[in-house]
Amino acid sequence: MKKILLLSDTHSHIDDTILKYVNQADEVWHAGDIGDLNVTDTIKKLKPLRCVYGNIDDAQARLEFPLHNRFLCENVSVWMTHIGGYPGKYNPAIREEMALNPAKLFICGHSHILKVMFDKKHNLLHMNPGAAGKSGFHQVRTMLRFVIDDDKIKDLEIVEIGKK
């Protein structure tokens, strides 16, 4: 069993509230638009980190993190990317791979809009944690917490960090 903290779109911002939740997780997943790598360096000192780079991230971030991160957590196949879209509106660059090789859990960021929905067509759960940073049009900073236990994704919780 693993307790996961999922965040995205930090845009160089990390604070004590985010770190409080980092410390409560077994792993932290960041779905891109990191900004300053101090964000991921700080997280990595505390917990294992899985991450992808986003459209605002520089060459250094792109050398350290992939565009797509596909991995197995417990017995759940995960696909994380920054610009992925959502069920019925996936990014054209991933639609073919999504149809041929879907994961059980598909994660993206980019939109700054928290969204969790089940994709019946591909039989997967889609998650976008919203934005944990202070840059962008969102009003409330958000993250997601959940548990992966064998092949089950459970105990999903929305974390509202506060106003930006």
Side-chain angles (χ1 to χ4, degrees), residues 7-20:
L7 68 158
S8 185
D9 296 276
T10 48
H11 292 263
S12 302
H13 179 79
I14 192 154
D15 59 29
D16 289 340
T17 303
I18 293 171
L19 293 174
K20 176 182 92 170

Side-chain angles (χ1 to χ4, degrees), residues 8 28 40 44 47-48 53 62 70 72 74 112 115 136:
S8 185
V28 178
T40 50
K44 284 191 296 188
K47 297 293 173 162
Y53 71 78
R62 292 168 191 239
R70 293 197 73 151
L72 198 62
E74 297 277 304
H112 293 219
K115 187 178 290 204

Side-chain angles (χ1 to χ4, degrees), residues 13 30 79 84 106 147 160:
H13 179 79
H30 194 303
W79 180 357
F106 181 73
V147 170
E160 290 189 357

Side-chain angles (χ1 to χ4, degrees), residues 10-13 33-41 56-58 61:
T10 48
H11 292 263
S12 302
H13 179 79
D33 276 5
I34 304 156
D36 189 321
L37 288 182
N38 177 57
V39 170
T40 50
D41 290 345
I56 68 141
D57 292 319
D58 64 12

Side-chain angles (χ1 to χ4, degrees), residues 11-12 24 28 32 41 46 50 52-53 60-61 74 76-77 85 94-96 109-110 114-115 119 124 132 139 152 163:
H11 292 263
S12 302
Q24 294 171 8
V28 178
D41 290 345
L46 300 171
R50 297 181 191 263
V52 294
Y53 71 78
Q60 189 178 356
E74 297 277 304
V76 173
S77 61
I94 66 161
R95 276 191 205 135
E96 186 177 341
H110 185 63
L114 186 145
K115 187 178 290 204
D119 179 344
L124 61 83
Q139 299 301 307
K152 294 181 181 43
K163 302 273 187 200

